[in-house]
Amino acid sequence: MQTGQQTLWITLGVIALVLARFLFRELRVRRIKTSAIFSVPIVVGVIGAFLVYSVVAAAPDQIPSLAIGGVAAIVVGIGIGLAVAHFTTVRSGGPGVLFVRGSWITVGIWVAALALRLVARWFVSGGTTVIYTSANSTAGPSLMLNAVLVIMVTAALATVRFRILAVSRAIPPDTPVMAA
């Protein structure tokens, strides 16, 4: 098997795992404690901060792209978060507990959001698919794109959680509603 074929199969395997993860997570009811509702966005945000630091330290030529991409990622992430929250069902499970369930639409939104990384890679590489290059030639742009992706996901997760919390405060216990 050639290197290009191996890369294709690895990429398809990763895509399948990501799809399976979103299907499993979004299509089942999840229990969220309101006291820990922002723990996931905080953890992802810390990872994002580490990636931003890595870009600044390892590829300072990418700082302007990182700044522009970061601002765009926050705006897009908020939009993604609002869209996901709109199609998420929230039900109160008593004091301090929420039951949350996504939908096929939320799965599609998350998958499309992650596909933005592939689209961005295509634009950054000038429309070519790079199978293998030396570490120095693509490390900066790739690291910058990863940082921007994590910034976008952090903004989306925080927005979803803010909307879920806001909607949950307005519903009586055990009443299903849409987080609009």
Side-chain angles (χ1 to χ4, degrees), residues 42-166:
I42 289 170
V43 169
V44 175
V46 168
I47 293 168
F50 173 74
L51 288 172
V52 167
Y53 170 77
S54 297
V55 170
V56 171
D61 62 310
Q62 294 296 315
I63 292 173
S65 297
L66 178 65
I68 293 167
V71 170
I74 290 169
V75 171
V76 170
I78 290 170
I80 290 167
L82 290 172
V84 168
H86 181 74
F87 294 104
T88 298
T89 303
V90 179
R91 184 172 48 94
S92 175
V97 177
L98 300 174
F99 292 105
V100 179
R101 184 178 185 274
S103 65
W104 284 100
I105 295 171
T106 62
V107 170
I109 293 167
W110 282 120
V111 170
L114 293 177
L116 287 175
R117 167 60 171 84
L118 298 175
V119 171
R121 172 65 184 240
W122 190 77
F123 280 110
V124 167
S125 68
T128 60
T129 303
V130 179
I131 299 295
Y132 175 79
T133 59
S134 69
N136 294 336
S137 66
T138 61
S142 184
L143 190 58
M144 180 272 300
L145 288 173
N146 289 338
V148 168
L149 173 69
V150 175
I151 291 168
M152 181 188 73
V153 170
T154 301
L157 288 171
T159 302
V160 168
R161 301 295 175 108
F162 273 117
R163 287 297 304 142
I164 287 171
L165 194 57

